[in-house]
Amino acid sequence: MKERVLITGGAGFIGSHAVDALAAAGFSVRVMDTMRRCTLLPWMNKKAEYCDGDVRNKKDWTAALKKVTYVAHLAGYLDDHEDFSIYTTVNVASIALLYEVIAEKKYPIKKIIAASSQTVYGEGRYRCARHGIIYPPPRPEEQLRRKEWDVICLICGERAEPLAAEEFDPLQPMTPYGLSKKMAEENLFFFGRRLGIPSSVARFTIVQGTHQARRPSSSGALQQLARRALTREPLILFEDGKQLRDFVDVRDVASALLALLASPAADFEVFNVGSGAPTLISDFGAIVARLAGVEFRPMISGVYRVGAPRHAIADITKIKKIGWQPRYSSEETIAEYLGWIKKMPSTLKV
């Protein structure tokens, strides 16, 4: 008998790729998601079993977890909205509910992996030439209004150099989403240890690739830039376009989840999952334009998001030690996405 893995949010962007990867690896895959979404999306894997479910509903968890060996909890409430309570009920309470059902029903779950995010780091790690490693707070809006984009050392006022965040760095989320993911991680490890169920956290950087939903999103850089390039509109870049970001291919993220499931060294550990190759937003936009066959005409908007980090990059040394490494470059990700989006004309609409 194949071992069965439950993937929550398996009809979503990352989840659908995880379904493909785990099914290809020989798992029996069950997806817990809303059936309306499952039936509307053409790329859903026909080898998977789909069940209608809400991660906030105990009965849905009880049904979905029957005869399951592993859980990949990818469902979540994303972006930066003001309905703050939903972040807690979806991203945090669902973790507690998952372990609660397992404890009550004595389901023999071997391992649980939950998706987290680089947003838990907040502004992240920097180096001041005079004062060493610092973990700065969010840039104040007064500074952003003046279009002074760089992070500065609060002691000496000098520009600080961005460094890749490591898993042991302090967590200083700056958004409700980031806060909820920090709390979700704490829940996962607390209840995992209490019940003796090996549990792991994957902190994704900015995931890009096919199946990405059409929605305004802080993580939808490729979708937004590709849409504008293919409709021959100027590519809008926030701030000055010189932000560093770690874009990781969704196929690499799916393979990372598989590696975490397979490795005992991942038990009760947290791992950054990224490309390991930070890219300037302006350079990323230039690649999109070139591969789309249009002139790169960036519109440096000066628009900013309060609470958005200046730079966001992650160290992936730790996950490499369990045998995983990314395969796809930003150029390969963009080329794959442009080919896909041309076949999905509805994604070009605003």
Side-chain angles (χ1 to χ4, degrees):
M1 294 292 292
K2 292 182 179 180
E3 292 189 301
R4 179 178 285 117
V5 57
L6 172 66
I7 302 179
T8 68
F13 166 40
I14 297 174
S16 60
H17 283 276
V19 170
D20 292 343
L22 290 167
F27 287 92
S28 171
V29 179
R30 176 180 293 158
V31 171
M32 177 180 172
D33 211 314
T34 61
M35 287 306 295
R36 180 178 179 276
R37 182 158 72 150
C38 293
T39 55
L40 287 177
L41 298 177
W43 52 79
M44 303 314 298
N45 193 311
K46 292 181 172 55
K47 293 182 180 179
E49 170 195 356
Y50 293 88
C51 61
D52 190 27
D54 186 323
V55 295
R56 296 169 290 185
N57 188 300
K58 190 171 185 176
K59 289 183 179 179
D60 291 345
W61 273 117
T62 302
L65 285 165
K66 289 180 180 177
K67 299 182 180 180
V68 162
T69 308
Y70 301 99
V71 178
H73 186 27
L74 308 182
Y77 190 59
L78 311 176
D79 301 328
D80 190 0
H81 308 292
E82 293 188 353
D83 41 5
F84 306 134
S85 63
I86 299 181
Y87 289 103
T88 301
T89 56
V90 174
N91 297 346
V92 184
S94 66
I95 295 282
L97 199 53
L98 162 61
Y99 287 94
E100 182 178 314
V101 170
I102 292 170
E104 284 186 4
K105 299 297 182 181
K106 295 182 170 53
Y107 286 141
I109 305 298
K110 291 184 179 180
K111 194 166 191 174
I112 296 172
I113 295 175
S116 188
S117 163
Q118 66 175 5
T119 58
V120 298
Y121 294 117
E123 189 61 68
R125 175 203 289 236
Y126 286 75
R127 178 186 289 116
C128 171
R130 294 176 59 186
H131 297 100
I133 301 299
I134 60 172
Y135 297 94
R139 295 167 295 167
E141 187 168 8
E142 294 76 16
Q143 174 186 340
L144 298 176
R145 286 198 193 109
R146 296 192 301 268
K147 301 188 185 306
E148 297 173 1
W149 309 120
D150 288 328
V151 170
I152 61 172
C153 174
L154 296 183
I155 302 172
C156 64
E158 296 297 320
R159 177 186 176 277
E161 173 194 2
L163 300 175
E166 299 181 3
E167 288 85 353
F168 58 78
D169 282 338
L171 305 186
Q172 302 178 135
M174 304 188 296
T175 63
Y177 173 66
L179 175 63
S180 70
K181 284 300 184 181
K182 177 179 181 288
M183 296 164 65
E185 290 184 13
E186 293 171 348
N187 264 6
L188 184 94
F189 288 126
F190 178 87
F191 292 112
R193 288 191 173 94
R194 181 184 176 95
L195 299 183
I197 300 172
S199 304
S200 305
V201 165
R203 285 181 187 154
F204 302 145
T205 59
I206 301 180
V207 187
Q208 307 286 264
T210 61
H211 307 178
Q212 193 155 21
R214 175 173 52 83
R215 58 182 171 82
S217 167
S218 57
S219 64
L222 177 54
Q223 193 274 342
Q224 298 295 324
L225 292 170
R227 180 186 63 79
R228 296 187 71 86
L230 293 175
T231 54
R232 299 187 176 276
E233 300 174 69
L235 275 58
I236 298 175
L237 305 181
F238 282 13
E239 298 188 11
D240 60 354
K242 300 302 181 183
Q243 309 94 303
L244 280 171
R245 293 292 184 265
D246 187 333
F247 297 106
V248 62
D249 192 289
V250 68
R251 294 167 291 182
D252 283 329
V253 166
S255 70
L257 293 171
L258 187 59
L260 294 179
L261 275 179
S263 175
D267 296 353
F268 301 109
E269 295 286 345
V270 58
F271 297 87
N272 291 331
V273 179
S275 69
T279 305
L280 287 172
I281 290 286
S282 56
D283 290 345
F284 192 79
I287 299 172
V288 172
R290 175 169 56 82
L291 294 178
V294 300
E295 181 185 356
F296 181 44
R297 295 183 294 120
M299 181 183 293
I300 308 299
S301 67
V303 173
Y304 58 84
R305 292 190 182 99
V306 176
R310 171 59 173 170
H311 304 293
I313 53 181
D315 187 293
I316 59 171
T317 302
K318 185 176 179 181
I319 193 170
K320 284 184 173 180
K321 291 179 180 178
I322 68 167
W324 175 87
Q325 60 181 353
R327 294 176 53 199
Y328 299 97
S329 66
S330 285
E331 187 152 333
E332 291 171 307
T333 303
I334 293 167
E336 174 83 4
Y337 185 77
L338 287 171
W340 175 79
I341 197 175
K342 289 175 183 176
K343 299 175 184 176
M344 306 287 293
S346 65
T347 61
L348 295 176
K349 300 176 182 178
V350 177

